[in-house]
Amino acid sequence: MPPQLIRRARRLATPQELREAPELEQIHTPLFSAIALDGTTIPSEVTAFNYNVGGTVSGAGGGAVTPATIFHTNLEQGNTLSAPKVFTCYAVRTFLSPLDYTANAPTLADPSNATARSNDDALDDALILYYSTVLTVSVGPKDYVRSPLFLVPGNESFAGIAHAHGQAGAAATQQYRLSSPGSVGKLWTLNTYPFVISPQQTFNAVLRNTGWTTVPGLVDDKLLFVILDGVLSREVL
Amino acid sequence: MTQLEVMPRRFAAPAAGTPRLEMIHQPLYSAVAIDNAAAIPRSTFFFNYAIGNTVSGAGGGARAATLFETNLEVASFLSAPKLFTVHAVRLILSPLNYTAGAPATADGSQGTADENNDQLDDAQLIRFSCALRFFVGPKDYIKAPIFLMPENTGLGGLGVTSISSAADTLQFTNNVAVHFAGKSWTMPTYPVLIANQQNFGAELVNQWTTNPTTNDDKLLWCVLDGVLGREVS
């Protein structure tokens, strides 16, 4: 195990394990996994990191109908890292794509014109999901994140300039409304005490609605990404 | 060679006779031209052409590449004795429409009765459906959706709107200048080394049952931020 991991890891290997550990290469890459949420009631529990590229995306949404690609996850095995890989996690983020993934075909959640009356589906879905669900991230038997989803922002969104100009006498099709929300805020960081995912140790993330009297639903089929930022140590050969 | 020895973690000891290198802060970049006449291809490659070659992709920007599209002198690798250390990766989408090789604003700013907002529509479709595979030699260093590699560069400022009280159905505008911002994909402690004459590249991957189609012809750049070691003379 490289010296950096020895210093940073909270669960150190035994001296013998360290001597016998293979040489590893460190790269900056997150581990990420998407959950496909159906455009209906949010499920009581749905798990991320439990499938690999080529497997079926977790959840019942339209994005789950085809084998997962590198857009959905970079795991080579579900729930675990193959030996001798080790991952040190320094931050946890979530990101809800504003697109609609019904039938595994990414489309805009809301047309940007020519619709007489419409909700703002992207914004509605982001509000409902972030303010009604909780996330847990577990390694082995231990939870390292247990929190409402809004405390785990993705810090990715569009920025720039926008202005719109309507006309009182305009035709009904001239309605214009479009948003592309992204959750932003204080990053859930673990800089001083990162957690380590050891080779072949199980880990996952679970999204739950917490038993509301009436569980809210989404308008569109969405993809929610759980992102573990950190350093992956992988085999050199 | 002192700088080269201490900066990246994966440098071999310089061989005898290795020429002196000058270090400069400069990104390597390469664009792909996305066509609005067909769905986004399942695979398109960056860095597979040099200045003077045809830009990768089928969009209107697929012309003979200039310094605007890439700064590679040789396709797919660095000529000896150059080295490059990658410290960050960004994907930058131009807000313009490059149909017919003529850069134009994606959305008319006035006088259109019924208008899409092509710029934001296309930015969303591309950013949230494409993934990137970045490789050096036989190894992949990135396999991830491109919204994890925000551009963090673009126009900022203020938008102002006024509405006439007179009825005129042509007085309708909707304009944006968007860029994608967020946590950068950086590699501060463990940068990736591209050694001279080593093959490298990046693949834009779009693999859905029905791939999306953009409204306009777009240019999307893959930018490798880092340090270039080049010959002194």
Side-chain angles (χ1 to χ4, degrees), chain A residues 2 4-5 8 25-30 32 53 63 65-74 76 90-91 93 95-99 101 103-115 122 154-171 173-176 178-181 187 223 225 227 229-232 234-237, chain B residues 9-10 109 112-118 120-133 139-151 155-192 203 205-212 215:
Chain A
Q4 296 90 343
L5 279 182
R8 294 170 182 171
E25 171 193 45
Q26 283 79 46
I27 62 171
H28 292 275
T29 182
F32 63 91
V53 174
V65 299
T66 195
T69 69
I70 60 171
F71 186 82
H72 301 98
T73 187
N74 56 353
E76 297 166 342
Y90 291 97
R93 293 186 290 153
F95 181 82
L96 180 68
S97 171
L99 293 190
Y101 293 89
N104 200 41
T107 55
L108 297 166
D110 306 286
S112 62
N113 79 321
T115 302
N155 281 341
E156 309 271 4
S157 64
F158 284 107
I161 306 170
H163 59 100
H165 173 175
Q167 177 56 271
T173 54
Q174 285 187 338
Q175 294 195 5
Y176 173 78
L178 186 62
S179 64
S180 184
L187 192 63
L223 285 176
F225 293 81
I227 302 152
D229 290 309
V231 174
L232 176 68
R234 64 180 181 181
E235 52 271 51
V236 175
L237 299 174
Chain B
R9 294 297 179 92
R10 287 185 293 276
S109 62
T112 302
D114 190 5
E115 186 181 22
N116 289 320
N117 194 296
D118 295 344
L120 182 56
D121 288 354
D122 288 348
Q124 289 193 94
L125 288 173
I126 293 170
R127 188 68 66 174
F128 303 126
S129 74
C130 292
L132 186 82
R133 183 177 71 88
K139 285 187 177 178
D140 292 334
Y141 285 90
I142 294 176
K143 287 193 291 187
I146 66 170
F147 65 75
L148 290 178
M149 289 150 260
E151 47 208 343
L155 298 184
L158 184 66
V160 178
T161 297
S162 67
I163 301 176
S164 167
S165 59
D168 181 346
T169 57
L170 292 182
Q171 286 185 348
F172 192 91
T173 71
N174 49 50
N175 241 17
V176 297
V178 299
H179 65 275
F180 200 65
K183 183 177 182 298
S184 299
W185 188 299
T186 56
M187 306 168 173
T189 311
Y190 307 108
V192 175
E203 179 184 13
V205 177
N206 198 278
Q207 296 175 334
W208 302 90
T209 303
T210 304
N211 283 2
N215 296 290

Side-chain angles (χ1 to χ4, degrees), chain A residues 17 22 55 63 118 128 154 172 181 185 189-190 202 212 220 225 229 231:
Chain A
E17 288 172 331
S118 176
I128 289 291
T189 55
L190 313 158
T202 59
W212 300 101
D220 296 322
F225 293 81
D229 290 309
V231 174

Side-chain angles (χ1 to χ4, degrees), chain B residues 188-230:
Chain B
T189 311
Y190 307 108
V192 175
L193 171 68
I194 302 172
N196 67 60
Q197 301 184 76
Q198 189 177 23
N199 179 64
F200 76 100
E203 179 184 13
L204 186 72
V205 177
N206 198 278
Q207 296 175 334
W208 302 90
T209 303
T210 304
N211 283 2
T213 302
T214 58
N215 296 290
D216 296 324
D217 284 11
K218 308 297 285 188
L219 282 176
L220 176 70
W221 282 263
C222 180
V223 180
L224 309 177
D225 290 308
V227 175
L228 177 69
R230 63 181 181 183

Side-chain angles (χ1 to χ4, degrees), chain B residues 30-32 47-51 53-56 65 69-70 72 74-76:
Chain B
S30 178
V32 297
F47 299 108
N48 63 347
Y49 63 91
I51 291 176
N53 301 146
T54 303
V55 175
S56 181
E69 286 89 5
T70 187
L72 283 194
V74 185
S76 299

Side-chain angles (χ1 to χ4, degrees), chain A residues 35-58:
Chain A
I35 293 170
L37 295 164
D38 198 1
T40 57
T41 303
I42 297 171
S44 58
E45 184 173 305
V46 60
T47 303
F49 296 107
N50 61 347
Y51 63 92
N52 50 278
V53 174
T56 301
V57 178
S58 183

